Amino acid sequence: MKNRIKYLLFALILIGFQSFAQEEDKNSKSNIQTYTPSRLLDKGQWDIKFFNNLYTETEGNFNTITADKPRENYFTSTVEAFTGVSNNNRINIGAIVEFRSNTIGGRQALSVFSLEDSNTDRKGITSIAPAIKFQPFKSVGNFSIQSALHIPLVTDESDGNGVFLDQTAWTFQNRFFYDYTFDSGKWQVFTELNTEYNFGEEKSFANNTFMVVPGAFLSYFPSDESTVLVFAQHAQRFGDFTQNYTALGFGGKYQLSKVLNLEVLYSKFVRGENTGLGQSFNIGLRALF
């Protein structure tokens, strides 16, 4: 009997050490490893993202013809803020605000940052969106859904000079997130399926269209504080206006501090129909506390 008690105590101590080691390993992981878009926040936790995208194009495919065109530039700055609100950590609520600055007429890509007003540029806050993010299955913590209703603040998509700013259609958006980390902890696959239904009374090219955008990201972690990644995305628009494109890209993330991390991405639109064919440069900051 005494030997059995000794064996039992030894087993409990061993299990305790293993549990402590696992918890320590979990806590040692950086935010870029732990808090992928698939993962939800704990109650009272905040996630604020400031993401900037500069898309520039000198080529387009319309009516099955690919041809050169004067450079057009589209800058989008997005602020997202989410917080955990449920005791079971399965519901987050938040809001999304978008600012855009666009230029046409062959101006250089960085012209979107000019403070001067001209007949070849437009800028302003173009939409706001209340959003909710939830984990539908308790047993699958790496799968989540984000739903948002994007409310347009734009009354005219294009002005008298032909400068497009943003769509006037409302957008009901659902994004499905899933990630998988391999046993080594060095590799991770993240997938996203973005669906959008566009509607509204204002005249818009996007009205009565449905958009599906699948994407896959493969990340490698050379250290706990950094990652490099490659990705592929495809967009397909159905309805009154049809459009599609495919983009390939690469980038990286770096954990600047326990709260703040930096993300840099580049993508190239390798093909498309009824769309511009260009490239995008992206930089984002994320604060998680």
Side-chain angles (χ1 to χ4, degrees):
M1 177 66 70
K2 291 182 178 180
N3 288 334
R4 291 182 179 177
I5 294 176
K6 289 180 180 179
Y7 292 147
L8 179 60
L9 289 174
F10 178 77
L12 290 174
I13 292 172
L14 182 61
I15 292 172
F17 274 115
Q18 289 177 336
S19 299
F20 177 78
Q22 291 172 354
E23 185 66 25
E24 186 177 45
D25 179 67
K26 179 181 178 181
N27 292 334
S28 67
K29 290 185 177 180
S30 65
N31 288 339
I32 60 174
Q33 291 177 299
T34 305
Y35 289 99
T36 66
S38 308
R39 308 302 172 113
L40 267 68
L41 305 171
D42 296 337
K43 185 176 182 179
Q45 196 172 20
W46 282 89
D47 184 4
I48 300 175
K49 299 175 185 176
F50 178 52
F51 193 77
N52 302 280
N53 170 278
L54 172 58
Y55 170 74
T56 180
E57 64 180 31
T58 56
E59 191 180 33
N61 180 290
F62 297 95
N63 299 319
T64 71
I65 298 174
T66 299
D68 294 336
K69 57 186 291 190
R71 183 181 295 275
E72 297 180 5
N73 310 293
Y74 301 89
F75 175 72
T76 304
S77 186
T78 305
V79 177
E80 297 185 14
F82 281 86
T83 186
V85 295
S86 62
N87 291 324
N88 60 9
N89 302 327
R90 293 177 58 193
I91 299 177
N92 295 170
I93 61 171
I96 304 168
V97 180
E98 286 192 347
F99 169 87
R100 294 178 185 261
S101 176
N102 305 334
T103 63
I104 64 171
R107 298 177 63 181
Q108 63 173 332
L110 296 181
S111 62
V112 295
F113 302 111
S114 173
L115 298 179
E116 298 179 4
D117 290 328
S118 72
N119 57 9
T120 58
D121 71 70
R122 290 181 70 190
K123 58 178 69 71
I125 297 175
T126 60
S127 69
I128 58 173
I132 184 172
K133 191 172 183 179
F134 58 96
Q135 182 192 106
F137 308 111
K138 183 178 181 180
S139 59
V140 188
N142 54 345
F143 174 70
S144 64
I145 302 172
Q146 179 178 308
S147 297
L149 179 63
H150 292 261
I151 304 169
L153 304 179
V154 177
T155 55
D156 296 303
E157 292 183 338
S158 297
D159 64 7
N161 298 309
V163 185
F164 177 84
L165 183 59
D166 199 0
Q167 67 184 49
T168 57
W170 291 53
T171 301
F172 178 56
Q173 180 187 53
N174 290 286
R175 301 172 69 184
F176 302 83
F177 304 116
Y178 177 79
D179 71 76
Y180 177 79
T181 301
F182 294 90
D183 293 338
S184 66
K186 289 290 187 180
W187 293 90
Q188 185 181 78
V189 173
F190 167 72
T191 58
E192 174 186 356
L193 177 62
N194 178 24
T195 65
E196 297 180 2
Y197 174 62
N198 300 279
F199 62 97
E201 295 182 359
E202 295 290 338
K203 186 177 180 181
S204 171
F205 81 95
N207 271 355
N208 302 315
T209 65
F210 185 76
M211 205 166 179
V212 180
V213 188
F217 300 73
L218 176 63
S219 298
Y220 172 73
F221 298 94
S223 70
D224 291 340
E225 294 79 24
S226 62
T227 180
V228 291
L229 57 93
V230 294
F231 62 91
Q233 290 180 307
H234 178 76
Q236 192 82 34
R237 187 186 297 272
F238 307 90
D240 291 354
F241 173 69
T242 60
Q243 178 188 56
N244 69 81
Y245 60 82
T246 304
L248 303 176
F250 63 89
K253 299 179 183 180
Y254 185 75
Q255 189 77 32
L256 299 172
S257 68
K258 290 183 178 180
V259 172
L260 194 65
N261 67 266
L262 173 71
E263 179 177 4
V264 178
L265 301 172
Y266 168 81
S267 65
K268 173 71 174 177
F269 287 61
V270 295
R271 58 156 306 281
E273 297 177 348
N274 291 330
T275 185
L277 299 173
Q279 52 190 331
S280 69
F281 304 86
N282 311 270
I283 185 169
L285 287 173
R286 181 188 189 191
L288 200 151
F289 52 92

